[in-house]
Amino acid sequence: MLAGLVAVSLLSAGIGAYEIPLGDVVSSVQHRIGLGGAALDRVGESVLWNVRFPRVVLALVVGASLGCAGALMQGVFGNPLAEPAVIGISSGAAVGGVASIAFGLAFFGNWTLPVFAFVGGLITVFLVYAMSRSGGRTEVVTLILTGVAVTAFGMAMIGLFIFFADNAEVTQITFWQLGSLAQATWPKVLAVLPWALVGLAVAPFYSRKLDLLALGERPARHLGVDVERMRVILMFVTALLTAAAVAVSGIISFVGLVVPHLLRMLAGPGHRFLIPGSALGGALVLAICDLTARTIAAPAELPLGVLTGLIGSPFFFWLLRRTRRKQGGWA
């Protein structure tokens, strides 16, 4: 996956309306990091480092965040059909982002939409947790049902914002909801990178505890796992990863569902591999999808969320059928 990630990144950096040969991309990278090579002409350098590489890096960061968040959610809920949207994080982030567009808010300049989306996602996960907590504990079923209700409310709020928005705002909201990395810049990369790195760094430390949780809550408690505390921390980490991703890319579906499940089928359910593997796999899948989205209908660009939905929804249907045959067991 790591080798594929490097190959796809270099390939994606060279392909587009302004073609840059792969050898020139490698040469420019070598030149920038002081390993020889040669710089391109002024236009080539500008296209490569101000347009292509920010988009490639943002695709890797967003994909890794969504893949890792999906693996965590499936581990926490003990269900291969779980993903961050289950507890309303995606819809909460979408409500924050859409609100900033619909009301023309500009408190933080170009960072206003990402900030509002990020805050919306975090508020949502805390709201879901608070509403589903009873007697000092939270039940998985209650969490999921609360998440479904909050997601429905969030979608209704988005519909209300669209109803009162003007035509220009409706167009912007619609495009953002479809998911895209077309507006990628280095400031956007820097805005999401710290939060993604924190989440990606914390997640692997819970690999062993998630393996124990797979045995069931009661056995995990007997083996020394504070299930409630772990669930709270991992929900926060998932919110951090998902809200940061949605804030800069809009809603991109199915990455957090498909990637962890495929890796579980290929390499087993152990989280020591599954969590970092899902991050790498998510980055690779989103980089490939983004390259496809901007080249398959050139010079037009297919919304990234639409493409992942077209690919992911048939897989989800197959997954449901397969899970049903196994009577709800892990793949």
Side-chain angles (χ1 to χ4, degrees), residues 152-203:
F153 181 78
M155 292 298 103
M157 290 295 294
I158 290 172
L160 194 63
F161 292 148
I162 291 174
F163 179 77
F164 287 108
D166 59 34
N167 289 337
E169 291 168 345
V170 168
T171 301
Q172 188 180 355
I173 289 170
T174 302
F175 186 75
W176 185 77
Q177 278 190 288
L178 293 176
S180 175
L181 299 174
Q183 305 300 318
T185 59
W186 286 121
K188 281 192 175 182
V189 173
L190 295 176
V192 69
L193 190 59
W195 310 108
L197 289 178
V198 169
L200 293 171
V202 171

Side-chain angles (χ1 to χ4, degrees), residues 23 25 30 39 46 58 95 125 138-139 156 167 177 190 196 216 253 299:
V25 174
Q30 288 176 325
S46 178
L58 196 63
V95 169
V125 76
T138 53
E139 297 294 336
N167 289 337
Q177 278 190 288
L190 295 176
S253 57

Side-chain angles (χ1 to χ4, degrees), residues 59-77:
L60 300 183
V61 173
V62 170
S65 298
L66 294 176
C68 183
L72 292 178
M73 280 293 93
Q74 291 176 15
V76 167
F77 291 118

Side-chain angles (χ1 to χ4, degrees), residues 66-71 74 82-84 252-261:
L66 294 176
C68 183
Q74 291 176 15
E83 65 166 344
I252 298 176
S253 57
F254 289 107
V255 175
L257 170 68
V258 171
V259 173
H261 192 78

Side-chain angles (χ1 to χ4, degrees), residues 38-114:
L40 307 180
D41 59 83
R42 185 173 60 84
V43 175
E45 284 285 300
S46 178
V47 168
L48 188 61
W49 291 97
N50 297 328
V51 178
R52 300 273 173 78
F53 273 135
R55 182 164 183 161
V56 169
V57 173
L58 196 63
L60 300 183
V61 173
V62 170
S65 298
L66 294 176
C68 183
L72 292 178
M73 280 293 93
Q74 291 176 15
V76 167
F77 291 118
N79 192 319
L81 303 181
E83 65 166 344
V86 166
I87 55 174
I89 303 171
S90 298
S91 65
V95 169
V98 169
S100 72
I101 297 172
F103 294 116
L105 304 177
F107 299 123
F108 306 103
N110 292 332
W111 289 37
T112 301
L113 192 153

Side-chain angles (χ1 to χ4, degrees), residues 247-321:
V248 293
S249 66
I251 298 176
I252 298 176
S253 57
F254 289 107
V255 175
L257 170 68
V258 171
V259 173
H261 192 78
L262 279 176
L263 291 178
R264 190 177 290 108
M265 290 169 61
L266 293 171
H271 287 86
R272 182 177 294 180
F273 164 78
L274 192 60
I275 289 175
S278 295
L280 279 176
L284 179 59
V285 165
L286 204 63
I288 293 172
C289 286
D290 184 54
L291 176 59
T292 305
R294 64 184 180 84
T295 56
I296 196 171
E301 182 174 316
L302 193 67
L304 185 55
V306 171
L307 183 63
T308 58
L310 288 173
I311 296 171
S313 52
F315 180 86
F316 184 64
F317 177 72
W318 171 79
L319 178 58
L320 285 172
R321 300 272 298 182

